[in-house]
């Protein structure tokens, strides 16, 4: 029979909250952009091993150069060897077609390059992606993702449809050349609205978007409605979706068939802001039958990115809604 003292001790013990269970055997992924220069500082192989030890299994690269056909300054084969040695799977890679981005930073009054119209860019886009897809086939990756659009140029529905056509062409080319699935990744600017006649109410200017009226369409919807699901999948950046004043869960519900991957991102360290409803996001994502997501953290030149990544991985590894 327990003494009163022992009983009290038992009760006290029961009242102490359980230590969070750390599970490092989940499907965590990392968008390598997160680490900025820290990824290649010192010994790349040791850095990759450090990533793997956090429980991260999948990589999405942001380090390919179409100019010299290298990734992080290494040949595709060399980088794959190092990733293999660290037991990291290269699932995806972000690549921006330069030809599409000409004029991206043009401002009214500033001298701007004269880029081609989207309609005249189809062949340039095909030629851009062919060698990129060949290179990425050497990595064995499943996805090639375009990370952004030229926002200054998508100013009405017609331009958005023309851009969607380029995404379609990109998807066809990437699949035909490298057997790789093409995708598109959003920021907040795709959550802005356009109409047939709008000329300036983009760039995430949501008040201007509201003034456009009921015919206005969200740019991301124009892209989804005007691309073949076989050619173009979507990678939803949940943080930028929120920054665009949209609900990631609503997108995962309404566009379950189109959103195949996620960028899991917060203001900085994952979970620290309390602003992102990761539980609902992950639950809906898994319910849709999807699995690939990638941690992303901004401020890439901070010198603290490995530390922030470790804290973020710990958040996911102790969150029971993450598989
Ligand atoms: Mg992102």
């Amino acid at each position: 029979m327990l003494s009163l003292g022992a009983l009290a001790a038992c009760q006290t013990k029961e009242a102490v909250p359980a230590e969070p269970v750390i599970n490092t055997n989940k499907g965590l992924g990392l968008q390598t952009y997160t680490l900025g220069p820290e990824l290649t500082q010192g010994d790349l192989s040791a850095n990759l091993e450090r990533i793997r030890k956090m429980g991260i299994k999948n990589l999405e690269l942001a380090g390919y150069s179409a100019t010299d056909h290298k990734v992080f300054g290494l040949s595709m084969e060399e980088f794959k060897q190092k990733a293999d040695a660290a037991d990291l799977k290269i699932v995806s890679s972000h690549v921006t077609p330069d030809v599409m981005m000409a004029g991206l930073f043009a401002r009214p009054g500033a001298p701007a390059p004269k880029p081609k119209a989207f309609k005249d860019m189809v062949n340039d886009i095909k030629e851009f992606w062919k060698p990129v897809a060949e290179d990425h086939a050497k990595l064995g990756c499943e996805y090639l993702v375009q990370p952004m659009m030229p926002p200054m140029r998508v100013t009405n529905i017609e331009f958005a449809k023309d851009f969607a056509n380029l995404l379609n062409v990109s998807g066809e080319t990437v699949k035909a050349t490298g057997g790789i699935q093409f995708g598109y990744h959003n920021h907040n600017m795709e959550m802005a609205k356009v109409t047939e006649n709008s000329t300036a109410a983009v760039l995430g200017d949501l008040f201007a978007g509201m003034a456009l009226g009921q015919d206005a369409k969200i740019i991301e919807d124009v892209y989804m409605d005007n691309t073949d699901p076989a050619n173009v999948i979507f990678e939803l950046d949940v943080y930028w979706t929120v920054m665009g004043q949209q609900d990631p869960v609503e997108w995962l519900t309404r566009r379950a068939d189109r959103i195949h991957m996620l960028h899991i991102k917060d203001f900085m360290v994952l979970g620290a802001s309390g602003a992102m409803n990761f539980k609902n996001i992950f639950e809906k994502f898994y319910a849709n039958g999807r699995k690939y997501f990638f941690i992303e953290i901004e401020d890439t030149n901070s010198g603290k990115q490995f530390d922030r990544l470790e804290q973020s991985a710990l958040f996911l590894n102790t969150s029971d809604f993450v598989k």
Side-chain angles (χ1 to χ4, degrees):
M1 187 176 168
L2 287 171
S3 69
L4 276 181
L7 192 60
C10 285
Q11 284 171 339
T12 306
K13 199 174 177 184
E14 278 176 9
V16 174
E19 282 286 311
V21 176
I22 302 172
N23 177 358
T24 54
N25 193 26
K26 302 186 182 188
L28 268 54
L30 169 67
Q31 165 49 258
T32 62
Y33 164 82
T34 296
L35 290 169
E38 290 178 54
L39 178 67
T40 51
Q41 273 165 11
D43 181 356
L44 174 61
S45 294
N47 291 342
L48 292 172
E49 279 168 30
R50 186 174 173 188
I51 291 166
R52 182 66 188 89
K53 283 202 179 92
M54 296 177 202
I56 291 164
K57 293 180 177 173
N58 301 321
L59 293 183
E60 181 179 69
L61 309 180
Y64 171 78
S65 163
T67 313
D68 59 11
H69 304 274
K70 289 186 171 178
V71 62
F72 302 110
L74 301 176
S75 73
M76 308 308 278
E77 291 87 351
E78 277 176 294
F79 184 81
K80 176 158 173 39
Q81 249 175 13
K82 285 184 186 291
D84 285 349
D87 189 26
L88 286 164
K89 182 179 172 188
I90 303 166
V91 171
S92 175
S93 178
H94 274 201
V95 178
T96 302
D98 301 340
V99 59
M100 214 183 259
M101 293 299 148
L104 173 61
F105 299 109
R107 293 288 182 274
K114 290 266 187 258
K116 285 185 184 178
F118 291 145
K119 280 186 171 149
D120 300 329
M121 219 182 268
V122 171
N123 279 331
D124 299 295
I125 286 298
K126 282 185 191 169
E127 292 310 310
F128 174 83
W129 284 111
K130 279 178 194 168
V132 175
E134 281 169 9
D135 283 341
H136 281 80
K138 296 171 191 166
L139 294 177
C141 67
E142 294 172 47
Y143 296 92
L144 254 170
V145 176
Q146 177 165 335
M148 67 186 302
M149 66 179 194
M152 306 298 282
R153 303 186 58 203
V154 184
T155 53
N156 61 41
I157 286 178
E158 187 188 343
F159 290 158
K161 285 182 178 173
D162 289 346
F163 184 79
N165 181 51
L166 290 180
L167 294 179
N168 252 328
V169 168
S170 303
E172 279 172 4
T173 308
V174 162
K175 191 166 285 180
T177 312
I180 298 170
Q181 176 67 55
F182 178 80
Y184 182 75
H185 159 280
N186 69 284
H187 290 81
N188 54 340
M189 59 193 79
E190 292 83 357
M191 299 301 164
K193 289 179 175 176
V194 282
T195 66
E196 299 291 345
N197 301 312
S198 59
T199 55
V202 290
L203 294 173
D205 185 346
L206 291 154
F207 290 108
M210 285 158 68
L212 290 174
Q214 291 195 342
D215 294 337
K217 288 195 164 66
I218 295 174
I219 294 171
E220 185 87 341
D221 275 324
V222 179
Y223 293 167
M224 290 184 178
D225 288 339
N226 291 277
T227 48
D228 182 341
N231 291 337
V232 186
I233 64 98
F234 288 80
E235 180 178 58
L236 192 77
D237 186 309
V238 298
Y239 168 85
W240 284 119
T241 299
V242 169
M243 290 299 103
Q245 303 196 16
Q246 293 282 309
D247 176 4
V249 176
E250 188 266 334
W251 279 85
L252 284 166
T253 305
R254 192 162 60 81
R255 296 295 197 168
D257 56 333
R258 302 306 301 276
I259 298 166
H260 288 221
M261 304 196 286
L262 297 180
H263 269 196
I264 292 298
K265 178 174 178 147
D266 203 331
F267 289 85
M268 204 53 69
V269 170
L270 294 185
S273 75
M276 300 295 301
N277 196 335
F278 288 120
K279 183 173 188 292
N280 288 4
I281 289 168
F282 273 101
E283 284 176 355
K284 187 69 194 138
F285 184 61
Y286 292 131
N288 289 349
R290 310 298 180 190
K291 62 177 178 179
Y292 289 134
F293 63 90
F294 303 97
I295 301 168
E296 186 174 51
I297 308 167
E298 289 290 347
D299 196 23
T300 56
N301 284 310
S302 69
K304 301 173 186 167
Q305 294 306 90
F306 256 114
D307 294 337
R308 288 169 172 168
L309 179 59
E310 258 155 11
Q311 293 171 57
S312 297
L314 183 63
F315 168 74
L316 298 178
N317 287 333
T318 52
S319 296
D320 57 12
F321 52 81
V322 180
K323 292 188 221 164

